[in-house]
Amino acid sequence: MSSQVRLRLLPSARCLYDKPIQVKVSHLKSRQVVRIKASSTDERGVLFSSSATYRADENGEIDLVRDASLSGSYVGVEPMGLLTTLKPNIVNKLFVKDKALEPHMVKFSVHDEEEQDRMLAEATNERFLMADGVSRVSVEEGNFHGALFTPPGKGPFPAVLDLSTVMSEKRAALLADKGFVVLTVPVINEESVNVKMLHLDPFEEAITFLLQQPKVGSKRIGIISRSKSADVALSLAAFVPGVEAVVWISGCSANTVLPLFYKKKQILPALMIDMEKLIPAESGIFIAKYAMHDPLKEENRATLIPIEQANTHFLFVASEDDLNWDSNIYMMEMMERLKRHGKKNFESVCYPRAGHLLEPPYGPFCHSSFHIFLKTAILWGGVPRAHVAAEVHLWKKIQEFLRSHVTCEE
């Protein structure tokens, strides 16, 4: 390894997961061509990797904020491209980074294109989910379990319930750094493979628990949700007191897959999936966009969630290239319904060329992975560059929305 070439990660090799870094290489030969590689192993032991070829300037320097990749995992100027284009060495794998206490470790290295891929320099980026001072406590109360994240300081802070379809701490941990007390709770227990129904009562318990936390100053909570958990969030807003704001990402306007119960009574039947409408795509992968039954057909209208009865602010977020289902159509249906009821308690954003899996920014873009309900691999949709840009924009919008609607009492 050459001691001359320098690979720097700025402003620091240690940063929060949702912060960009600047990758710079110096002390190369003038106009030297090198390949920069990145690799990371997720929590399930799957290796993800990316690479891009760059030509140094006349001073022997490369700056990923300024310079364009000539070939590799992406082409053009993509400052965070080595992170967002990390791909698995096993097909149809989602990058799993759900445990807040463990950083996302990414190894970067610079290799000489002309000398049999000889390594010239290397550095490791530690991307933390928990900022300094944020606390994490595992929670098992009554009929729910999850993890509670609390910002440093006395507070008071607004409260947010993070509903994830299966347990994930990433979004909650990062939001706590932004000044929210966040409780993350899964909608589905991955161990419970034969779930036949869902109950709202445990989530109501979670809301009560969250509002009782000593640093919480808001009287009502915000909810952030995506996909299946988004229809649970809508149902909580419609049927359970205490919900001030809901962020609905890539969801449905109806109660999907599992019948929904509250106080021992079924309140919504399930909108089901027609497996025969899965569209075969690449080898062993399907497009599920048109497989869900139409909630507006007369026989399915009972599955629609009555959000018009909610005293809640909504942020609806959809993607035009969502291949899991048509979240944009569902979003438009809900907005039209609210307008018909004289409601103005919503705002919306639709991202062109983005896919279903909108996450906090700078994680690896997922092309396809296993669908927990369909029991097969599906395409999620999205063009990587546009999807990444959507995640950066949305992450700021979510924080602004929650701050403006979930406020602490004076």
Side-chain angles (χ1 to χ4, degrees), residues 1 5 45 98 150 169 212 220 227 235 237 276 363 403-404 410:
M1 188 188 303
V5 177
D98 292 330
T150 307
E169 300 178 5
Q212 290 173 345
R220 283 151 61 89
S227 198
S235 296
E276 292 184 2
R403 283 196 191 99
S404 63
E410 293 296 329

Side-chain angles (χ1 to χ4, degrees), residues 350-396:
C350 183
Y351 293 106
R353 299 187 301 146
H356 183 75
L357 296 178
L358 290 166
E359 290 264 293
Y362 309 124
F365 171 79
C366 182
H367 175 257
S368 59
S369 68
F370 185 78
H371 192 291
I372 189 171
F373 295 114
L374 297 177
K375 309 297 184 189
T376 188
I378 74 159
L379 289 170
W380 297 110
V383 177
R385 187 185 297 231
H387 187 92
V388 168
E391 289 181 331
V392 173
H393 179 270
L394 176 60
W395 189 231
K396 293 176 183 175

Side-chain angles (χ1 to χ4, degrees), residues 81-247:
L82 287 167
L83 280 169
T84 59
T85 64
L86 285 165
K87 290 185 178 176
N89 63 351
I90 304 171
V91 295
N92 306 326
K93 290 293 183 180
L94 176 74
F95 187 89
V96 178
K97 183 72 207 80
D98 292 330
K99 296 175 183 175
L101 297 176
E102 300 170 9
H104 172 24
M105 306 290 288
V106 186
K107 293 181 179 178
F108 291 90
S109 55
V110 182
H111 300 257
D112 193 322
E113 282 279 87
E114 297 178 357
E115 292 188 33
Q116 297 181 325
D117 206 34
R118 181 168 66 93
M119 187 188 290
L120 304 175
E122 62 181 339
T124 299
N125 185 200
E126 292 184 61
R127 306 185 64 78
F128 293 92
L129 294 179
M130 284 180 61
D132 290 343
V134 172
S135 70
R136 178 200 176 279
V137 177
S138 293
V139 177
E140 288 200 26
E141 292 277 333
N143 295 302
F144 77 92
H145 75 277
L148 181 72
F149 295 89
T150 307
K154 293 181 179 179
F157 301 108
V160 173
L161 178 65
D162 185 328
L163 292 180
S164 49
T165 303
V166 296
M167 186 63 182
S168 175
E169 300 178 5
K170 175 169 53 185
R171 197 167 53 192
L174 292 168
L175 274 177
D177 173 57
K178 317 303 185 223
F180 301 95
V181 175
V182 189
L183 174 65
T184 182
V185 175
V187 167
I188 303 292
N189 238 327
E190 281 192 275
E191 293 79 33
S192 307
V193 288
N194 295 314
V195 181
K196 295 290 191 293
M197 64 190 73
L198 268 185
H199 292 264
L200 276 186
D201 308 76
F203 304 108
E204 183 176 38
E205 290 179 34
I207 292 171
T208 302
F209 171 84
L210 186 51
L211 289 172
Q212 290 173 345
Q213 295 309 298
K215 287 189 179 182
V216 167
S218 53
K219 299 296 184 187
R220 283 151 61 89
I221 68 157
I223 302 178
I224 183 168
S225 58
R226 189 191 69 199
S227 198
K228 168 58 191 172
S229 70
D231 62 65
V232 176
L234 295 181
S235 296
L236 286 169
F239 295 106
V240 174
V243 181
E244 185 67 44
V246 167
V247 179

Side-chain angles (χ1 to χ4, degrees), residues 234 244-246 248 307-308 310-317 331-349 397 401 405:
L234 295 181
E244 185 67 44
V246 167
W248 173 100
I307 57 171
E308 60 275 6
N311 181 24
T312 302
H313 299 278
F314 295 103
L315 171 59
F316 299 125
V317 182
M331 179 175 78
M332 289 191 288
E333 185 276 318
M334 288 190 292
M335 292 193 295
E336 285 301 315
R337 184 150 40 105
L338 289 172
K339 287 175 186 174
R340 286 200 305 272
H341 284 83
K343 298 268 191 171
K344 299 179 180 178
N345 57 335
F346 63 91
E347 55 188 282
S348 67
V349 59
K397 188 167 185 64
F401 174 80
H405 294 296

